[in-house]
Amino acid sequence: GAVVSQHPSWVICKSGTSVKIECRSLDFQATTMFWYRQFPKQSLMLMATSNEGSKATYEQGVEKDKFLINHASLTLSTLTVTSAHPEDSSFYICSARETVSRNQPQHFGDGTRLSIL
Amino acid sequence: GNSVTQMEGPVTLSEEAFLTINCTYTATGYPSLFWYVQYPGEGLQLLLKATKADDKGSNKGFEATYRKETTSFHLEKGSVQVSDSAVYFCALDEAPGSRLTFGEGTQLTVNP
């Protein structure tokens, strides 16, 4: 089945540093990937839609300069949290959808738990 | 706009009990409907899906039927196991490749 790999699974870093999270589709091509943020005991909040070879589409209220998204190939999208602060601590999840055919569901990575000290 | 409403949780059941988690939706088009499951500390896994009215999705003993007349997609399982303890999310997308709209999630705990 379709597998999405997300790395790292857990990161702890100091306030002010930048953190890069990778999302890879291992056995399929994905023109579109999605980045979500999830707070404890809450649902997923879509942050942005990542499109291969073009700029990401951000949801209202999400800072583009804070959360940099790059989708340079059909199997890799990255989310960089720049100058991270404690309020950026959260669980970040990516998903990818196979390009090939209609009605394909999104496949999710296992998430990245980000803790900013 | 689109929206998904799930029954409030948490839900606590004994092993082998019958499970129903209600899900209703609002959409302007003809969405596909999904149930995803999230185990602690993990991402989401697709549990089942249905792409048109009257379709029944099923997997691992779970079932859900796409009811257009009641705009519902209730999740059911006849006999739950402790290993089914997780958070369940109902979701929809209006077009292939489009964004997912999620419900609030329902925490299920199954006790032995």
Side-chain angles (χ1 to χ4, degrees):
Chain A
V3 177
V4 174
S5 173
Q6 195 171 334
H7 179 79
S9 57
W10 202 335
V11 58
I12 302 174
C13 59
K14 294 181 179 179
S15 183
T17 58
S18 293
V19 178
K20 179 184 284 188
I21 303 170
E22 293 186 349
C23 180
R24 294 181 184 273
S25 55
L26 296 186
D27 49 2
F28 65 97
Q29 294 186 331
T31 304
T32 303
M33 294 185 175
F34 302 86
W35 287 96
Y36 297 85
R37 183 172 180 176
Q38 186 180 31
F39 293 100
K41 299 187 185 300
Q42 293 189 23
S43 189
L44 281 72
M45 179 190 76
L46 180 65
M47 299 174 65
T49 302
S50 172
N51 303 298
E52 186 267 336
S54 64
K55 292 182 179 181
T57 303
Y58 289 82
E59 295 299 304
Q60 191 172 7
V62 178
E63 298 176 60
K64 301 178 183 180
D65 296 332
K66 177 72 169 176
F67 300 100
L68 299 179
I69 291 173
N70 183 278
H71 193 156
S73 78
L74 286 171
T75 59
L76 174 65
S77 175
T78 60
L79 168 67
T80 301
V81 184
T82 61
S83 186
H85 292 285
E87 59 266 28
D88 299 322
S89 298
S90 192
F91 193 54
Y92 292 88
I93 308 175
C94 73
S95 71
R97 190 179 228 129
E98 294 183 60
T99 303
V100 178
S101 59
R102 295 168 62 86
N103 294 324
Q104 290 300 311
Q106 289 185 27
H107 301 282
F108 287 79
D110 282 339
T112 297
R113 187 160 304 283
L114 175 62
S115 297
I116 309 299
L117 303 178
Chain B
N2 300 333
S3 67
V4 177
T5 303
Q6 288 182 233
M7 68 183 291
E8 291 186 12
V11 174
T12 303
L13 296 172
S14 297
E15 205 165 22
E16 299 184 2
F18 184 85
L19 168 71
T20 299
I21 300 178
N22 289 339
C23 171
T24 57
Y25 68 90
T26 303
T28 54
Y30 301 94
S32 294
L33 302 174
F34 306 87
W35 277 101
Y36 284 88
V37 57
Q38 185 178 33
Y39 298 99
E42 298 183 11
L44 273 66
Q45 299 176 24
L46 177 66
L47 183 59
L48 52 84
K49 68 173 183 176
T51 58
K52 62 183 187 297
D54 299 325
D55 268 1
K56 177 185 283 188
S58 62
N59 185 26
K60 300 180 181 179
F62 291 90
E63 293 183 341
T65 301
Y66 190 142
R67 301 287 188 198
K68 195 171 188 298
E69 63 276 13
T70 55
T71 61
S72 65
F73 193 54
H74 305 321
L75 182 68
E76 296 182 338
K77 186 173 184 180
S79 176
V80 293
Q81 305 300 312
V82 173
S83 57
D84 294 327
S85 299
V87 179
Y88 292 81
F89 291 95
C90 184
L92 69 81
D93 73 356
E94 274 213 39
S98 70
R99 55 186 293 175
L100 282 172
T101 299
F102 285 94
E104 304 88 344
T106 301
Q107 171 75 56
L108 170 66
T109 302
V110 180
N111 295 318

